[in-house]
Amino acid sequence: MTAGAAGAAAAPLVSVRDLAVRYGDRVVSAVPTLDVRPGQCVAVVGESGSGKSTLLLAVLGLLNGTAARVSGSVVVGGTEMVGVSERTAGSVRGSAVSLVLQSPQGSLNPTMRLGRLARHALRRHGIRGAEARRRVAEALEAVRLPADVVDRYPHEVSGGQAQRFAIATAVALGAPVIAADEPTSALDVTVQAEVMAVLDRLRREQGTAVLLVSHDLALVSTVADHVVVMKDGAVVDAGDVDHVLHRSTVPYTRALLDAVPRLGHDRATEEEVTGA
């Protein structure tokens, strides 16, 4: 039984109901229902402008206080994120859900060593001293980074190592959900597979849930349990990965699939990717 299947009966860590994000009269992202449970990877796919990244921003509470009008419900770790204060949303980000960006090196302070950056993130959530150091060490081991990476500056690590460090920081924070926004788009194909294998292993071994935003259906096919397809701000297809990627009759989904040169049917394991 996969981690996703085992978590299917568990209560959702992220629950979206009747979400609508508007700018003026235009709806840019509408999601009737979406659940992410422990150990599951739910992938939201679609072309640029489909509304998938806006959905992620709503889950993280990053649209509150902006020009966007958000209605419906987004519950993360038991907290309603729609309309809450930034203080409340900020406490949820990191403790209940952590964000992994497209290009982590661009978001890392170049004047600070990685260890200090990780400890700073933990300190914001009240984790300090020996406990912070223990968590960082265990998280680095979980993503298979060397312990001495904490002594390096961001420019001294590769893009893949920086992305693994971002994932390690999320793990150290103890967030049960990782929200990943195109986490491999800036990496070459081999490193993409390595990073996604890390996320997949965290799901299988630690029950971490992953909400993945991606345009890469070949990559999604290797890790996702459930796929949501968006177009022009609306959900046009959704279901388990096998149904959506191999049996869907929705024209837009078929068009996306036809644009993929080759879509593998087998999930890549970390051992297959790294040769471990």
Side-chain angles (χ1 to χ4, degrees), residues 250-267:
V250 175
Y252 181 68
T253 302
R254 300 309 311 170
L256 289 178
L257 292 167
D258 289 342
V260 179
R262 181 179 180 183
L263 189 62
H265 290 254
D266 296 326
R267 293 169 180 265

Side-chain angles (χ1 to χ4, degrees), residues 10-275:
L13 299 170
V14 177
S15 183
V16 177
R17 295 292 183 272
D18 300 320
L19 174 68
V21 180
R22 295 176 173 84
Y23 287 93
D25 294 329
R26 183 187 176 196
V27 178
V28 297
S29 188
V31 180
T33 180
L34 183 150
D35 289 326
V36 186
R37 292 180 166 82
Q40 284 189 324
C41 176
V42 176
V44 184
V45 302
E47 60 193 322
S48 296
S50 62
K52 60 187 187 296
S53 292
T54 300
L55 164 64
L56 198 64
L57 293 175
V59 168
L60 294 162
L62 291 171
L63 294 176
N64 299 326
T66 71
R69 290 189 295 121
V70 185
S71 60
S73 174
V74 178
V75 177
V76 180
T79 299
E80 174 62 64
M81 299 295 280
V82 175
V84 299
S85 68
E86 174 54 27
R87 181 175 182 178
T88 298
S91 68
V92 173
R93 293 193 296 269
S95 61
V97 58
S98 286
L99 176 63
V100 174
L101 297 167
Q102 295 183 38
S103 179
Q105 284 173 314
S107 63
L108 298 175
N109 187 329
T111 69
M112 297 172 65
R113 297 180 194 272
L114 295 181
R116 184 181 174 192
L117 287 168
R119 292 191 298 272
H120 178 72
L122 268 63
R123 192 179 305 118
R124 292 181 57 189
H125 293 274
I127 306 166
R128 296 179 171 84
E131 175 65 10
R133 291 191 294 273
R134 181 189 66 79
R135 288 196 183 200
V136 171
E138 291 179 354
L140 292 176
E141 183 178 357
V143 302
R144 298 186 179 176
L145 278 175
D148 63 2
V149 77
V150 296
D151 298 321
R152 303 178 196 173
Y153 289 96
H155 71 273
E156 295 179 319
V157 298
S158 68
Q161 288 174 323
Q163 197 62 286
R164 285 184 180 228
F165 171 76
I167 296 169
T169 302
V171 171
L173 284 164
V177 181
I178 293 177
D181 185 9
E182 300 279 10
T184 61
S185 63
L187 306 175
D188 65 46
V189 174
T190 301
V191 180
Q192 285 181 7
E194 291 175 354
V195 169
M196 294 312 297
V198 168
L199 288 174
D200 197 43
R201 185 164 54 82
L202 289 172
R203 296 194 311 119
R204 290 185 283 108
E205 296 181 2
Q206 300 188 18
T208 304
V210 179
L211 177 58
L212 171 67
V213 166
S214 180
H215 68 280
D216 189 338
L217 289 177
L219 180 146
V220 163
S221 73
T222 67
V223 294
D225 299 298
H226 190 87
V227 179
V228 176
V229 182
M230 297 191 70
K231 181 180 187 294
D232 297 330
V235 174
V236 297
D237 200 0
D240 68 77
V241 63
D242 183 64
H243 172 79
V244 173
L245 298 189
H246 303 305
R247 296 198 302 274
S248 176
T249 59
V250 175
Y252 181 68
T253 302
R254 300 309 311 170
L256 289 178
L257 292 167
D258 289 342
V260 179
R262 181 179 180 183
L263 189 62
H265 290 254
D266 296 326
R267 293 169 180 265
T269 67
E270 185 165 21
E271 289 72 20
E272 291 169 338
V273 169
T274 63

